Amino acid sequence: MKTVTAEPLTKHAFRPFGDVIETEGAESLLINGGMCRRFNDLARVEAVGEGARVLVNIFRARPYPLPLKLAIVERHPLGSQAFVPLQPRPFLAIVCPDEAGRPGTPRAFLAQPGQGVNYARNTWHAVLTPIGGEVQDFLVIDRGGEGSNLEEFFFADPFEVRLPEAP
Amino acid sequence: MKTVTAEPLTKHAFRPFGDVIETEGAESLLINGGMCRRFNDLARVEAVGEGARVLVNIFRARPYPLPLKLAIVERHPLGSQAFVPLQPRPFLAIVCPDEAGRPGTPRAFLAQPGQGVNYARNTWHAVLTPIGGEVQDFLVIDRGGEGSNLEEFFFADPFEVRLPEAP
């Protein structure tokens, strides 16, 4: 089985796939008489097509054991999908470049506490993957409305996703 | 000074002002092969007017001492505004009914860990009010785009907002 080793989640590395939602490196301004710092516009939210609107949801997800067998990815042609952890625990954001309508080799990004992700519209990604050993809640911002907004792809040869070896 | 005593934040009590973003009492479904429970569509997100789009932001807010002197409220005619704490600490959601274009008597709702709020478009509210003694981060979902999206109102006689006495 081919192995994918997780890499750190950074804005730069993740840019082809969407946004990292974090305060680190974000523009900000003071508001409310100096009582609040606003880190502004951290994700490109898209919801297109008939009757489209932006949904706010909470996903309560069970953690996956590692190494992870990755057999399926999906994408949403009509909307972005953002995941922000509501507890300070890590999770894996697994994405694939598109290669002529099919997912290429996956990349796994290890999100640290304080980081969320927004998958850009039509970006191949694995299902939400907490790894911390405990059930984890995420705030999820995605699209509701009519239309076919899910495309799935099954890898004939699944991948194995691992964390890097501790140095 | 007139006193406003905070009341518990419940979906029912908050309905005239917007949504409570919480899993409690929300419809849900299992997804991802049973690994994830989706609490679906918890807030009515609105972003109207020219060039409007939905923004995702992080607000890092300093806590306010209690009792709180409430002298000003605001509203956003072109969009809703949601606040979800990223640490499990309480905050106050302070809102006012509209009375012929002016805010009526404020109501203060005490949000518990696990609860966020979404102020409906054009709802009078106070600025974000953490009370926990520590700086608190919130994920904020609101509107970006052209147009005048802020209306402020200054109370001639400020209110004093208090927590209820411990029983």
Side-chain angles (χ1 to χ4, degrees), chain B residues 38-121:
Chain B
R38 178 180 177 128
F39 298 89
N40 194 52
D41 195 7
L42 303 177
R44 180 176 162 83
V45 176
E46 286 197 282
V48 304
E50 191 177 352
R53 64 191 188 87
V54 173
L55 302 186
V56 175
N57 320 276
I58 294 174
F59 282 19
R60 180 162 289 167
R62 291 166 57 194
Y64 287 78
L66 294 177
L68 178 79
K69 186 182 164 195
L70 177 67
I72 179 173
V73 291
E74 63 185 42
R75 62 178 177 177
H76 308 295
L78 302 178
S80 57
Q81 194 173 38
F83 297 88
V84 180
L86 295 176
Q87 294 94 19
R89 288 202 283 271
F91 69 100
L92 285 176
I94 303 170
V95 292
C96 307
D98 183 71
E99 296 180 353
R102 298 160 57 104
T105 301
R107 290 176 70 181
F109 292 93
L110 177 60
Q112 299 292 349
Q115 293 185 312
V117 296
N118 181 50
Y119 296 128
R121 180 157 71 92

Side-chain angles (χ1 to χ4, degrees), chain A residues 3 9 12 15-16 22 47 49 58 79-80 115 120 161:
Chain A
T3 297
L9 178 64
H12 178 75
R15 188 160 300 143
E22 62 180 346
I58 294 174
S80 56
Q115 294 185 312
V161 180

Side-chain angles (χ1 to χ4, degrees), chain A residues 35 41-42 53 56-57 62, chain B residues 41-42 53 56-57 62:
Chain A
M35 290 293 280
D41 195 7
L42 304 176
R53 63 191 188 88
V56 175
N57 321 275
R62 291 166 57 194
Chain B
D41 195 7
L42 303 177
R53 64 191 188 87
V56 175
N57 320 276
R62 291 166 57 194

Side-chain angles (χ1 to χ4, degrees), chain B:
Chain B
M1 209 178 312
K2 282 171 286 184
T3 297
V4 174
T5 302
E7 52 194 300
L9 177 64
T10 66
K11 281 187 168 69
H12 179 75
F14 197 70
R15 188 161 301 144
F17 309 105
D19 312 288
V20 180
I21 298 171
E22 62 180 344
T23 58
E24 182 73 26
E27 286 183 23
S28 71
L29 65 162
L30 277 175
I31 61 172
N32 299 351
M35 291 292 281
C36 182
R37 183 168 289 281
R38 178 180 177 128
F39 298 89
N40 194 52
D41 195 7
L42 303 177
R44 180 176 162 83
V45 176
E46 286 197 282
V48 304
E50 191 177 352
R53 64 191 188 87
V54 173
L55 302 186
V56 175
N57 320 276
I58 294 174
F59 282 19
R60 180 162 289 167
R62 291 166 57 194
Y64 287 78
L66 294 177
L68 178 79
K69 186 182 164 195
L70 177 67
I72 179 173
V73 291
E74 63 185 42
R75 62 178 177 177
H76 308 295
L78 302 178
S80 57
Q81 194 173 38
F83 297 88
V84 180
L86 295 176
Q87 294 94 19
R89 288 202 283 271
F91 69 100
L92 285 176
I94 303 170
V95 292
C96 307
D98 183 71
E99 296 180 353
R102 298 160 57 104
T105 301
R107 290 176 70 181
F109 292 93
L110 177 60
Q112 299 292 349
Q115 293 185 312
V117 296
N118 181 50
Y119 296 128
R121 180 157 71 92
N122 222 23
T123 295
W124 294 109
H125 61 274
V127 297
L128 178 60
T129 312
I131 55 170
E134 290 176 86
V135 168
Q136 191 169 358
D137 287 348
F138 294 77
L139 197 74
V140 179
I141 303 159
D142 62 1
R143 176 200 181 270
E146 299 302 308
S148 176
N149 192 27
L150 176 64
E151 185 178 353
E152 292 177 312
F153 186 91
F154 296 80
F155 292 113
D157 294 311
F159 294 86
E160 185 177 85
V161 179
R162 293 183 168 277
L163 297 186
E165 305 268 333

